[in-house]
Amino acid sequence: MEKKLPQVCPSCSTHLKVKRLSCPSCGTEVEGLFDFPKLTVFTTEEQEFIINFIKSGGSLKDMATIMNRSYPSVRNYLDGIIEKLNKLES
């Protein structure tokens, strides 16, 4: 089972920040408060959609085939992702 990176504090629901990064190869560690990349707010399914959408050249028709869904449902899914992105920037 793959562990998911928590992004919200289980105590107060504030968005978490990354405090320490470490290299498993040489042991170097970097400390500070770093924001998560914007795309981490998306679910794994949404991230896979975004990756496949880019790989398909932005073709909703191809995405409908990949997802085995109708074109309108894929369009609605994309609109949901766009809405989520717009909320991040406001």
Side-chain angles (χ1 to χ4, degrees), residues 17-23 27-34:
K17 294 190 180 262
V18 176
K19 185 171 182 176
R20 182 182 299 167
L21 301 169
S22 60
C23 175
T28 298
E29 291 189 354
V30 180
E31 284 196 38
L33 285 180
F34 307 100

Side-chain angles (χ1 to χ4, degrees), residues 8-43:
V8 177
C9 174
S11 179
C12 70
S13 299
T14 300
H15 285 279
L16 296 171
K17 294 190 180 262
V18 176
K19 185 171 182 176
R20 182 182 299 167
L21 301 169
S22 60
C23 175
S25 178
C26 70
T28 298
E29 291 189 354
V30 180
E31 284 196 38
L33 285 180
F34 307 100
D35 291 323
F36 284 99
K38 286 184 180 181
L39 293 180
T40 59
V41 301
F42 293 106
T43 66

Side-chain angles (χ1 to χ4, degrees), residues 22 30 36-37 44 49 53 55 57 66-67 69 74 85 87:
S22 60
V30 180
F36 284 99
T44 302
F49 175 89
F53 184 67
K55 287 168 65 175
I66 292 168
M67 297 174 71
R69 293 188 184 175
V74 173
L85 271 174
K87 285 181 183 176

